[in-house]
Amino acid sequence: MGGILLSAALIVRDEERFLEGCLRSLKDCVDEVVVVDTGSSDRSRDIAHHWGARVFSHPWRGDFAAARNASVDAARGAWILYIDADERVVEFD
């Protein structure tokens, strides 16, 4: 089976404190990472780019569902893992 099977989708705004840890935890688990930035003024976008994420802008309109839908729409995988920047994927034993 080829192509992108699993995409991770995140919405962020000023998440530089947490984002690198999240992206590091996803590195070997997903085929792509999509980050939708809703107006960060910190290094969130740079961090996402550094970790190979596809980064998109979406203006914040006070609607989490709209931002989440933008990240899902940008994802190319057959399956989507929606994760917050302060969450981590951990190995299951």
Side-chain angles (χ1 to χ4, degrees):
M1 178 185 251
I4 298 172
L5 184 61
L6 179 60
S7 299
L10 296 89
I11 57 172
V12 302
R13 182 172 185 173
D14 296 332
E15 294 285 355
E16 81 176 320
R17 181 174 162 206
F18 300 107
L19 187 56
E20 184 170 2
C22 178
L23 297 177
R24 180 179 285 125
S25 79
L26 293 168
K27 185 172 121 348
D28 296 322
C29 300
V30 300
D31 300 308
E32 76 167 347
V33 177
V34 172
V35 172
V36 170
D37 184 80
T38 61
S40 292
S41 60
D42 66 0
R43 294 182 47 249
S44 293
R45 293 177 63 86
D46 294 334
I47 293 167
H49 281 295
H50 174 79
W51 282 92
R54 297 173 55 233
V55 181
F56 300 88
S57 295
H58 182 80
W60 179 248
R61 296 185 180 109
D63 184 354
F64 280 101
R68 182 179 324 173
N69 289 342
S71 70
V72 170
D73 289 345
R76 299 176 294 189
W79 294 90
I80 299 171
L81 168 67
Y82 187 78
I83 188 167
D84 290 332
D86 63 348
E87 296 178 319
R88 307 290 179 266
V89 173
V90 295
E91 193 172 323
F92 184 73
D93 194 359

